[in-house]
Amino acid sequence: MASGRVDLDGNPIKPITICMIGAGGFIGSHLCEKLMADTPHKVLAVDVYNDKIKHLLEPSSLPWADRIQFHRLNIKSDSRLEGLIRMADLVIFLAFLAHFLHLDLDWKFWISLDLKSIFILVDFFIVNCCDGSVTTINLAAICTPADYNTRPLDTIYSNFIDALPVVKYCSENGKRLIHFSTCEVYGKTIGAFLPKDSPLRQDPNYYILKEDTSPCIFGPIEKQRWSYACAKQLIERLIYAEGAENGLEFTIVRPFNWIGPRMDFIPGIDGPSEGVPRVLACFSNNLLRREPLKLVDGGQSQRTFVYIKDAIDAVLLMIENPARANGHIFNVGNPNNEVTVRQLAEMMTQVYSKVTGESSIETPTIDVSSKEFYGEGYDDSDKRIPDMTIINRQLGWNPKTSLWDLLESTLTYQHRTYAEAIKKATSKPVAI
Ligand code: NAD
Ligand code: UDP
């Protein structure tokens, strides 16, 4: 871990405690990994699952073992959440006190104190050493498109209702909040409504997505795909209003298709056989099983993909530069990595052949209708290119990794992790 680290303004970075909700997911696992490997910060990792961060939690001899603690809880139904957001303060204080008294006690000892002692200590802490150096990061969400139109209620509850207490606790307790929203709040581009042959479709003003000027354009209510985007937009508005009216220190992140190892699951291997993950895992699954990749409605939608490790660098800049990040909404994506879904399928097929040495199958892709693939109520974002002005200006961040390179490292990981399991799962049982 580097010491003597400084922020973008040259000030030394002090260790903080982060209450990370949804830490066991794809983005959370990479963020925990980065925080443990490259920073002195502490993480209270909250999730219902921890499979993707097990390698960071065990064995207890890991160099960062005293800086990460997993709390298995469902924020939907667990009153311990507020305690945890507050506890982040306590953990800092206890470490401070132990250091001050030259005690070598681990935090399990301090946390085992009775309630009265804790209140006395917390009171002492609030009076003496409240430095506000606690950040809550909320990643928890249902965020796979196959759920938006088939489980719209769960989607809306997860992305809006369940996030409400997190926002409230942060606002009431004066904690900084970094909340994960989505690029999907932009919905469709203005250009999507122009005639197909209109030259204005080539004008960036009609498709580049800007945090402070672009409208949010969703389809009709019966297109339940937009339940996710709409819930995310409303929680963004609520956070923004808490900032304006009650002084909540917030940063909102809008990820543009972050992809890499540990994203989602491979159906039938580490997730349900009938489950439909996001496109990277769908196509990986098809490649691993030597099946054609399914192009929804012709694969004409366009996306920009950013490597998870590049994107995590942006989040770390937000964490460590609060004065530059607070009050902002940030697009985090790679405008240089734009492809249609069809082009993505073709590139993944080529990269997978290179990585495995296997030739591709005779019919590498097939077309399926969205109704067949996702069911009633599906709709799609046509094109997603992030404007980078705000993140460049505030944090000086730019993505580095090309689509080919990120697919090469990701598909190498997918092959190493899943090829054997797929082979076993698909091999016929031997007759006895
Ligand atoms: P993920 O599904 O891998 O991670 C979400 C994590 O939240 C999961 O581990 C899940 O168990 C946890 N969680 C959900 N509900 C919970 C609850 N009630 N209590 C406790 N834990 C709960 O998804 P991800 O890709 O890591 O995305 C993280 C965030 O980023 C989400 O808010 C998502 O909407 C947003 N986002 C991600 C992308 C992307 O490209 N990956 C794009 C747009 C938005
Ligand atoms: N898609 C596809 N085949 C699949 C999975 C997804 O054609 O097997 C398409 C999907 O319709 C969308 C794009 O790929 O146009 C990206 O889908 P993803 O689930 O990754 O999420 P989104 O970017 O839409 O939020």
Side-chain angles (χ1 to χ4, degrees):
M1 180 216 320
S3 59
R5 299 167 66 247
V6 292
D7 67 16
L8 292 172
D9 297 304
N11 305 309
I13 295 170
K14 291 189 200 145
I16 58 165
T17 296
I18 295 164
C19 177
M20 194 191 300
I21 306 164
F26 163 57
I27 296 175
S29 70
H30 286 274
L31 186 52
C32 286
E33 217 166 67
K34 181 80 178 173
L35 289 165
M36 292 304 110
D38 292 353
T39 81
H41 307 312
K42 290 195 164 86
V43 173
L44 302 179
V46 175
D47 207 303
V48 276
Y49 304 111
N50 67 7
D51 319 34
K52 294 183 184 183
I53 52 170
K54 269 236 163 77
H55 62 294
L56 300 172
L57 303 172
E58 293 163 3
S60 59
S61 56
L62 286 167
W64 49 74
D66 61 341
R67 291 195 289 117
I68 184 163
Q69 200 180 47
F70 177 67
H71 295 262
R72 191 180 302 279
L73 65 90
N74 186 336
I75 61 163
K76 194 185 276 299
S77 54
D78 204 310
S79 56
R80 284 177 295 166
L81 178 64
E82 183 170 10
L84 267 180
I85 291 177
R86 285 166 180 255
M87 191 176 95
D89 276 339
L90 185 62
V91 171
I92 286 183
F93 164 64
L94 295 174
F96 163 82
L97 193 66
H99 179 75
F100 182 70
L101 298 174
H102 302 290
L103 292 175
D104 189 20
L105 297 173
D106 76 358
W107 60 5
K108 285 187 196 116
F109 166 81
W110 293 103
I111 287 162
S112 71
L113 290 176
D114 65 72
L115 213 57
K116 194 171 161 214
S117 320
I118 288 181
F119 279 133
I120 294 168
L121 290 172
V122 170
D123 196 45
F124 175 88
F125 162 71
I126 289 167
V127 173
N128 291 287
C129 42
C130 187
D131 63 359
S133 54
V134 170
T135 296
T136 297
I137 301 183
N138 189 13
L139 294 146
I142 287 178
C143 51
T144 34
D147 292 320
Y148 308 161
N149 58 316
T150 54
R151 299 169 58 204
L153 283 177
D154 287 341
T155 301
I156 293 167
Y157 272 80
S158 169
N159 284 285
F160 180 67
I161 307 285
D162 300 347
L164 277 177
V166 177
V167 181
K168 181 170 151 268
Y169 299 152
C170 288
S171 189
E172 287 174 356
N173 294 294
K175 306 285 183 231
R176 181 176 178 222
L177 172 65
I178 299 180
H179 186 82
F180 272 71
S181 180
T182 171
C183 60
E184 200 157 315
V185 295
Y186 293 110
K188 294 174 187 260
T189 63
I190 309 172
F193 296 89
L194 293 167
K196 284 262 178 297
D197 56 356
S198 168
L200 289 177
R201 279 185 174 245
Q202 309 310 317
D203 179 343
N205 288 319
Y206 289 82
Y207 60 79
I208 297 276
L209 303 170
K210 297 188 182 184
E211 298 93 328
D212 50 354
T213 56
S214 294
C216 300
I217 309 173
F218 305 154
I221 303 299
E222 66 182 25
K223 294 287 186 192
Q224 297 203 74
R225 155 70 188 243
W226 303 108
S227 58
Y228 169 73
C230 196
K232 286 281 201 198
Q233 188 198 141
L234 190 54
I235 200 76
E236 279 200 23
R237 290 191 186 275
L238 185 106
I239 292 168
Y240 196 89
E242 280 289 349
E245 292 191 32
N246 296 325
L248 172 68
E249 289 184 5
F250 74 85
T251 301
I252 290 171
V253 187
R254 290 183 180 167
F256 279 65
N257 293 79
W258 300 9
I259 61 175
R262 294 198 291 274
M263 185 168 197
D264 298 340
F265 58 90
I266 295 298
I269 302 298
D270 55 2
S273 311
E274 300 308 310
V276 180
R278 286 168 284 188
V279 68
L280 174 84
C282 283
F283 286 175
S284 301
N285 183 40
N286 299 142
L287 290 165
L288 283 153
R289 293 177 189 274
R290 296 187 66 74
E291 298 166 349
L293 281 59
K294 294 180 177 156
L295 300 177
V296 172
D297 293 339
Q300 290 313 303
S301 300
Q302 290 166 291
R303 295 289 187 273
T304 51
F305 293 94
V306 64
Y307 192 35
I308 182 69
K309 291 187 195 297
D310 288 353
I312 290 295
D313 288 344
V315 181
L316 188 59
L317 285 168
M318 291 174 208
I319 294 172
E320 297 191 326
N321 292 276
R324 286 167 175 260
N326 283 345
H328 288 285
I329 299 175
F330 290 112
N331 286 344
V332 181
N334 188 336
N336 305 317
N337 280 350
E338 191 188 31
V339 279
T340 63
V341 173
R342 179 178 288 278
Q343 288 166 335
L344 175 73
E346 288 163 1
M347 197 185 280
M348 284 182 69
T349 305
Q350 282 176 36
V351 172
Y352 194 72
S353 288
K354 181 181 172 204
V355 162
T356 60
E358 293 168 12
S359 58
S360 56
I361 59 173
E362 206 168 305
T363 314
T365 58
I366 50 165
D367 286 355
V368 291
S369 73
S370 54
K371 192 168 171 196
E372 200 183 322
F373 193 79
Y374 288 113
E376 208 63 68
Y378 181 74
D379 200 356
D380 210 349
S381 301
D382 52 307
K383 186 174 173 79
R384 290 181 184 157
I385 302 189
D387 181 81
M388 305 292 284
T389 311
I390 296 182
I391 197 156
N392 278 174
R393 186 189 65 215
Q394 294 303 118
L395 303 172
W397 176 82
N398 275 304
K400 301 185 196 99
T401 315
S402 70
L403 186 55
W404 179 277
D405 288 351
L406 77 85
L407 288 177
E408 195 165 329
S409 53
T410 305
L411 291 179
T412 302
Y413 170 89
Q414 301 288 58
H415 184 69
R416 204 178 52 225
T417 310
Y418 294 109
E420 270 310 306
I422 298 253
K423 211 183 272 172
K424 269 192 202 145
T426 51
S427 62
K428 293 200 176 74
V430 184
I432 304 171

